[in-house]
């Protein structure tokens, strides 16, 4: 189901224009650089990590920015649920490995 106009996640992203109309590729989560052990979904702040963390729910897979993104590939991550809910509202496109 598409997000409602007053979805809080949409509110949060509305002013972040660099996150609008971008390509996102589904892939296993990988830390952005060594020493960086987790990230958060840019919309709902769900946590991504390569390893399980004690007492925390972590996602191992999500949608990552591509190399045409202003901050580069795998810099920002979106969880699968938010991708589905918000892609129409924010103009997100699913990238395939070959594009
Ligand atoms: Zn999310």
């Amino acid at each position: 189901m598409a997000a409602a106009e007053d979805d809080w996640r949409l509110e949060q992203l509305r002013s972040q224009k660099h996150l609008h109309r971008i390509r996102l590729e589904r892939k296993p989560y990988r830390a952005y650089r060594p020493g960086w052990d987790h990230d958060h979904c840019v919309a709902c702040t769900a946590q991504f990590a390569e390893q399980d963390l004690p007492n925390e729910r972590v996602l191992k897979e999500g949608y990552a920015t591509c190399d045409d993104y202003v901050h580069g590939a795998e810099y920002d991550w979106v969880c699968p649920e938010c991708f589905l809910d918000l892609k129409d509202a924010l103009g997100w496109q699913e990238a395939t490995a070959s594009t």
Side-chain angles (χ1 to χ4, degrees):
M1 225 183 78
E5 273 300 298
D6 61 349
D7 190 300
W8 66 276
R9 298 168 301 180
L10 208 49
E11 288 296 316
Q12 169 150 300
L13 293 176
R14 207 184 296 277
S15 61
Q16 303 200 47
K17 301 277 189 219
H18 62 288
L19 287 166
H20 298 188
R21 289 179 296 282
I22 56 171
R23 295 190 308 132
L24 293 162
E25 185 179 343
R26 184 162 187 148
K27 54 175 68 172
Y29 174 71
R30 209 167 59 185
Y32 184 61
R33 56 177 163 79
W36 186 299
D37 63 0
H38 72 278
D39 267 296
H40 294 276
C41 169
V42 294
C44 74
T45 74
Q47 187 162 244
F48 292 99
E50 290 184 12
Q51 317 264 311
D52 286 318
L53 298 174
N55 309 314
E56 302 206 47
R57 194 174 91 90
V58 299
L59 297 167
K60 298 282 181 57
E61 187 179 300
Y63 287 85
T65 53
C66 300
D67 54 13
D68 54 0
Y69 180 58
V70 61
H71 296 301
E74 300 181 5
Y75 182 84
D76 277 324
W77 290 78
V78 178
C79 76
E81 192 179 322
C82 290
F83 181 80
L84 281 178
D85 289 349
L86 305 176
K87 64 182 169 66
D88 292 338
L90 294 172
W92 288 341
Q93 281 196 351
E94 179 162 6
T96 55
S98 58
T99 54

